[in-house]
């Protein structure tokens, strides 16, 4: 997993829910267990799409529920460092 | 100059307790009231038709606002839940129930949450072209007829209501400029199939977060204004979360959310909120409706 991408995803998560400290959230932690709801999830994916100029199709949304999963998805599109 | 002369509304008295219903569907109260934003959802009686809601709003226009509907030369209903099967059009049924003059032309507009603002553009344009100086723009789109009460995506959002806006040549607010658009590629994100509404919430959220702040910025710029000149922003209350998101992206304070008490009433949402301002001090009001289509319609109102 690319640490730079994961760090950026973590910062997006933090922006979506600033009242919760996500600095120690394990990258593999499920968003549901981290106190994030479905609207937070939609907002996180929206920001990821904007940040990396990618489209996240509906059929992968349900598996993009952790920092690690999102970072891997971004990396698979070879846009993480752009 | 034709513009908004008066507004009246009808909210059916029955309510669904959204917190309780949310609990039954597996949502906690914080999510229902804090994120979706609705504590209660207005419900028409099962027997009431769309035209009944519209007529009730017009009666309030006459009784509470001291206006008369009889002088209108057009009556327009914005709805996607018309009476019966939609033929005849609901506006013609309203026309009959009110006993309006044969010289009053009736037509429907098939739009959802962008329908009020788009309806202002369409009806004012019609009135200019037809040489008409008084018209009625009605919104009445009772989603209780199409929402599955067990659908977690839609069951805790929509309320029933109707509004009527009297458009006349001695207005309180003049209307325009406009910014309107459609992303037809995402049309299936809100659709009815087999009589039931389905919603791809993420697609609608993406659409609203991407398109509405940009639309607001465009209409403000084309009007020669800045955000500081706008006394009140009124965004369609798809949910409190989407309104807060739009406000945050525009770097403005999140506006009031009165729909918490009755729900997202589709095309009636904006005029319900605007009705409260009609006698207020706000000089410049921005309205933005968005949803079905997926489409948006944004405009600026200026007090005369």
């Amino acid at each position: 997993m690319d640490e730079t991408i994961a760090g950026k995803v973590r910062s997006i998560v933090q922006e979506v829910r600033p009242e919760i400290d996500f600095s120690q959230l394990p990258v593999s932690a499920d968003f549901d267990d981290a106190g994030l709801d479905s609207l937070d999830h939609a907002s996180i994916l929206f920001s990821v799409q904007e940040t990396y100029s990618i489209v996240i199709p509906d059929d992968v949304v349900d598996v993009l529920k952790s920092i690690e999963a999102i970072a891997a998805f971004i990396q698979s599109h070879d846009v993480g460092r752009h | 100059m034709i513009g908004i002369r008066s507004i009246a509304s009808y909210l059916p008295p029955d309510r669904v307790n959204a917190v309780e219903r949310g609990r039954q569907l597996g949502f906690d109260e914080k999510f229902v009231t804090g994120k979706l934003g609705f504590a209660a959802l207005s419900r028409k009686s099962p027997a009431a038709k769309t035209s009944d809601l519209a007529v009730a709003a017009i009666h309030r226009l006459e009784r509470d606002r001291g206006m008369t509907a009889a002088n209108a030369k057009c009556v327009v209903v914005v709805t996607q839940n018309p009476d019966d099967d939609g033929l005849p059009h609901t506006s013609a049924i309203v026309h009959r129930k009110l006993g309006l003059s044969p010289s009053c032309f009736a037509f429907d507009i098939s739009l959802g949450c962008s329908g009020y603002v788009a309806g202002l553009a369409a009806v004012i344009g019609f009135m200019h072209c037809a040489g008409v100086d008084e018209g009625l723009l009605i919104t009445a789109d009772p989603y209780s007829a199409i929402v599955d009460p067990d659908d977690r995506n839609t069951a805790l959002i929509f309320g029933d209501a109707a509004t009527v806006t009297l458009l006349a040549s001695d207005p309180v607010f003049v209307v325009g400029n406009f910014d309107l658009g459609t992303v037809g590629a995402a049309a299936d994100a809100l659709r009815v199939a087999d009589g039931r509404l389905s919603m791809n919430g993420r697609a609608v959220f993406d659409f609203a977060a991407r398109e509405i702040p940009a639309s607001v910025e465009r209409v403000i710029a084309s009007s020669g204004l800045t955000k500081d000149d706008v006394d009140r922003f009124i965004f369609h209350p798809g949910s409190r979360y989407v309104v807060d998101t739009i406000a945050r992206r525009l770097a403005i304070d999140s506006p009031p959310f009165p729909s918490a008490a009755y729900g997202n009433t589709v095309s009636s949402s904006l005029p319900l909120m605007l009705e409260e301002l009609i006698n207020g001090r706000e000089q410049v009001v921005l309205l933005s409706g968005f949803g079905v289509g997926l489409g948006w319609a944004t405009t600026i109102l200026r007090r005369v």
Side-chain angles (χ1 to χ4, degrees):
Chain A
M1 184 184 64
D2 187 307
E3 296 297 331
T4 303
I5 300 173
K8 182 58 185 173
V9 174
R10 186 186 299 277
S11 71
I12 288 172
V13 172
Q14 189 64 66
E15 286 171 15
V16 167
R17 286 293 293 273
E19 73 275 23
I20 300 176
D21 179 8
F22 292 105
S23 62
Q24 303 303 314
L25 182 71
V27 293
S28 60
D30 189 284
F31 287 159
D32 292 337
D33 299 330
L36 295 159
D37 59 41
S38 58
L39 288 170
D40 297 326
H41 188 217
S43 198
I44 290 165
L45 297 186
F46 176 76
S47 292
V48 167
Q49 290 180 124
E50 278 204 324
T51 302
Y52 292 103
S53 300
I54 58 175
V55 174
I56 299 174
D58 286 340
D59 59 3
V60 301
V61 165
D62 286 345
V63 300
L64 301 184
K65 298 291 287 289
S66 68
I67 292 172
E68 183 178 51
I70 294 174
F73 179 85
I74 295 167
Q75 202 167 353
S76 73
H77 284 69
D78 197 28
V79 294
R81 295 188 179 280
H82 293 203
Chain B
M1 175 71 78
I2 292 168
I4 295 170
R5 176 71 184 84
S6 187
I7 301 175
S9 63
Y10 172 68
L11 280 166
D14 290 348
R15 295 286 183 278
V16 170
N17 183 327
V19 174
E20 179 56 31
R21 186 69 192 127
R23 195 171 292 122
Q24 293 165 355
L25 293 172
F27 295 107
D28 63 32
E29 180 173 354
K30 192 175 173 186
F31 181 81
V32 173
T33 60
K35 289 293 188 69
L36 298 179
F38 308 110
L41 308 169
S42 56
R43 282 291 179 272
K44 71 178 183 65
S45 68
K49 295 185 175 183
T50 299
S51 63
D52 296 324
L53 306 182
V55 168
I58 291 171
H59 285 160
R60 296 200 171 195
L61 181 76
E62 297 189 313
R63 189 191 68 198
D64 299 344
R65 306 280 180 260
M67 304 292 161
T68 175
N71 297 330
K73 296 302 180 193
C74 67
V75 57
V76 181
V77 176
V78 177
T79 191
Q80 293 184 316
N81 286 284
D83 281 21
D84 304 323
D85 295 318
L87 196 163
H89 38 298
T90 300
S91 53
I93 297 169
V94 171
H95 186 291
R96 179 179 68 205
K97 289 182 175 179
L98 292 172
L100 294 174
S101 160
S103 63
C104 173
F105 188 67
F107 62 99
D108 287 4
I109 295 176
S110 176
L111 283 172
C113 303
S114 66
Y116 182 66
V117 174
L120 288 172
V123 178
I124 292 172
F126 168 85
M127 292 171 70
H128 281 300
C129 288
V132 171
D133 61 8
E134 206 162 306
L136 300 170
L137 172 60
I138 295 163
T139 59
D141 210 352
Y143 266 35
S144 63
I146 54 172
V147 167
D148 177 349
D150 294 324
D151 179 4
R152 297 174 89 245
N153 284 335
T154 58
L156 304 175
I157 295 174
F158 296 101
D160 298 334
T163 73
V164 56
T165 298
L166 177 63
L167 298 168
S169 53
D170 56 343
V172 173
F173 284 115
V174 292
V175 184
N177 295 350
F178 286 89
D179 183 82
L180 309 102
T182 304
V183 181
D188 284 347
L190 268 168
R191 68 192 299 260
V192 171
D194 299 326
R196 288 300 188 202
L197 177 72
S198 67
M199 179 173 74
N200 179 337
R202 176 176 166 253
V204 175
F205 175 82
D206 281 6
F207 160 78
R210 185 176 56 246
E211 302 293 350
I212 306 312
S215 173
V216 168
E217 299 274 14
R218 282 193 298 270
V219 83
I220 287 174
S222 72
S223 302
L225 301 171
T226 70
K227 281 182 279 190
D228 290 341
D229 295 320
V230 178
D231 298 312
R232 179 69 69 90
F233 290 87
I234 302 180
F235 300 127
H236 173 68
S239 68
R240 185 184 289 274
Y241 192 78
V242 79
V243 169
D244 289 346
T245 298
I246 291 166
R248 188 173 67 249
R249 289 171 67 82
L250 284 165
I252 62 173
D253 292 337
S254 206
F257 198 81
S259 312
Y262 47 78
N264 166 358
T265 56
V266 197
S267 52
S268 293
S269 297
L270 297 183
L272 272 165
M273 291 188 271
L274 184 60
E275 180 185 13
E276 301 301 317
L277 306 185
I278 201 87
N279 294 318
R281 295 180 176 176
E282 293 82 358
Q283 298 298 306
V284 178
V285 178
L286 184 144
L287 300 177
S288 187
F290 49 88
V292 180
L294 297 178
W296 73 87
T298 305
T299 193
I300 295 274
L301 308 181
R302 299 177 201 245
R303 192 177 296 276
V304 175

